[in-house]
Amino acid sequence: MPVWRLRVRMDDRPGTLARIAVRLADLECNVLGLTVFPVPGGVLDEIVLRPADGLPKHVLAAAIREEGCTCSGIVEADVHELRDPPTAMLLAAKQAVDAPPQLIEAVRQVLAADLVTLLPAAEANPDRTEGGNRAVFPLDTTKVLVARRRWAPFVELELTRVATLIDLLTAARDNLSGAVVLDRRDGAAVVLRPGTLRDTEAVAELHRRCSSTTLFSRYHTGIRTVPRNWLHKLLLPPGGVSVLAVCGRDVLGLGRLIPQPDRTAEISLLVEDSWQRQGIGTALLARMTVLAAARSITGLTAHRLPGDDAMIRTALRAGLHAAPAPDDPETVRLEIPSPR
């Protein structure tokens, strides 16, 4: 037996939905599901029903209009798609995380779209909405998904759901809370992972292995022994995170990211002398950039000694644009590319 999905635009007033339900009952339609979308000036109800035998779609649409509402679309549906929106979103998220190439199909299901295609970002033309029947979702700086649905325009809540689904898939791909193994030609098993208080002694050993020149470049003061409470702040910075480069039991490098109120973050790097110029600092910075982007941070700042361009060179190797701040040459500003 057929199943229809229809969308009804109505004023958000008591009794409106009840009148629609009575009309559907008069037409011998069996309501199977209801989802309410808030829209400007009212609500948009998506009703899934089993129509009476031989009921034309235009008769159903006319009955809805007689109640002062608008039927914006009627389309054939599959009874197997009858899931509440939270369950449908969770199933789509699981599908996309388990098999990232299935993201296109997951987005199509969430939107009940006619078509979802993958396009280069340069061809996206996001301003072309086709009356709300076309939507563009950036995946990164180079690719987008374009969704089209002829039977009914998209509503803002649906677009937000898909954007959240893509953000979730990005977070799963980047493994924000987990470890990352560096692919090194020398075969050394170097891992980047979040720092914890259990790493206090290993980070203290890192500082003891660093030369006075390296420590001065990092802290801008003569220091050889780091107090324990200072080590704790390095590993668990207020409101921020630390990233360690680890080989075996040794901590080779330490990066720290502290968000600021203006959607920027302060960063710092320390790599022991024997591992410098081997890509450790670049990998730490690249990882902190991923963590910063996940927090909607738009830029990074780092303090340096006069004439010290090490952070700028590291940023360039990590694919970031970096330059001294115009108002403070001892501060380096780094831009985070945004996929949005």
Side-chain angles (χ1 to χ4, degrees), residues 37-95:
F37 297 98
V39 295
V43 294
L44 183 72
D45 287 4
E46 180 176 280
I47 303 173
V48 180
L49 55 81
R50 197 184 301 278
D53 289 342
L55 177 66
K57 292 179 181 179
H58 68 87
V59 172
L60 176 58
I64 290 172
R65 285 196 299 271
E66 290 174 3
E67 294 298 333
C69 302
T70 302
C71 182
S72 60
I74 303 177
V75 69
E76 302 287 339
D78 187 340
V79 70
H80 299 294
E81 297 176 6
L82 289 178
R83 304 186 183 99
D84 61 283
T87 300
M89 273 294 297
L90 289 172
L91 289 172
K94 182 180 184 301
Q95 178 182 358

Side-chain angles (χ1 to χ4, degrees), residues 197-253:
L197 293 182
R198 293 191 297 271
D199 300 303
T200 299
E201 186 55 38
V203 172
E205 286 294 331
L206 164 67
H207 284 77
R208 284 192 281 268
R209 293 194 303 271
C210 288
S211 67
S212 57
T213 300
T214 293
L215 293 176
F216 189 81
S217 177
R218 164 63 180 87
Y219 297 106
H220 306 173
T221 184
I223 183 174
R224 291 302 304 170
T225 303
V226 181
R228 195 170 187 82
N229 63 335
W230 196 353
L231 292 172
H232 289 175
K233 290 181 180 179
L234 289 175
L235 287 165
L236 297 178
V241 294
S242 65
V243 181
L244 304 182
V246 180
C247 185
R249 296 183 179 181
D250 293 335
V251 173
L252 318 175

Side-chain angles (χ1 to χ4, degrees), residues 64-209:
I64 290 172
R65 285 196 299 271
E66 290 174 3
E67 294 298 333
C69 302
T70 302
C71 182
S72 60
I74 303 177
V75 69
E76 302 287 339
D78 187 340
V79 70
H80 299 294
E81 297 176 6
L82 289 178
R83 304 186 183 99
D84 61 283
T87 300
M89 273 294 297
L90 289 172
L91 289 172
K94 182 180 184 301
Q95 178 182 358
V97 170
D98 288 345
Q102 293 298 314
L103 175 62
I104 292 176
E105 176 59 20
V107 170
R108 192 197 65 77
Q109 292 178 11
V110 169
L111 293 175
D114 299 319
L115 181 67
V116 177
T117 54
L118 179 68
L119 290 178
E123 302 176 13
N125 196 3
D127 295 330
R128 199 182 90 210
T129 63
E130 298 178 3
N133 296 83
R134 181 181 186 270
V136 176
F137 303 97
L139 297 180
D140 51 37
T141 56
T142 63
K143 299 186 295 295
V144 299
L145 291 181
V146 177
R148 290 181 174 85
R149 189 173 67 193
R150 290 172 294 178
W151 65 274
F154 298 114
V155 298
E156 191 63 33
L157 182 58
E158 293 177 297
L159 304 182
T160 301
R161 287 173 178 168
V162 172
T164 302
L165 174 63
I166 292 173
D167 287 343
L168 174 63
L169 183 62
T170 301
R173 179 197 65 200
D174 294 336
N175 190 22
L176 298 178
S177 62
V180 176
V181 180
L182 299 187
D183 183 14
R184 295 179 56 84
R185 294 180 179 179
D186 59 8
V190 177
V191 176
L192 305 184
R193 63 169 176 80
T196 70
L197 293 182
R198 293 191 297 271
D199 300 303
T200 299
E201 186 55 38
V203 172
E205 286 294 331
L206 164 67
H207 284 77
R208 284 192 281 268
R209 293 194 303 271

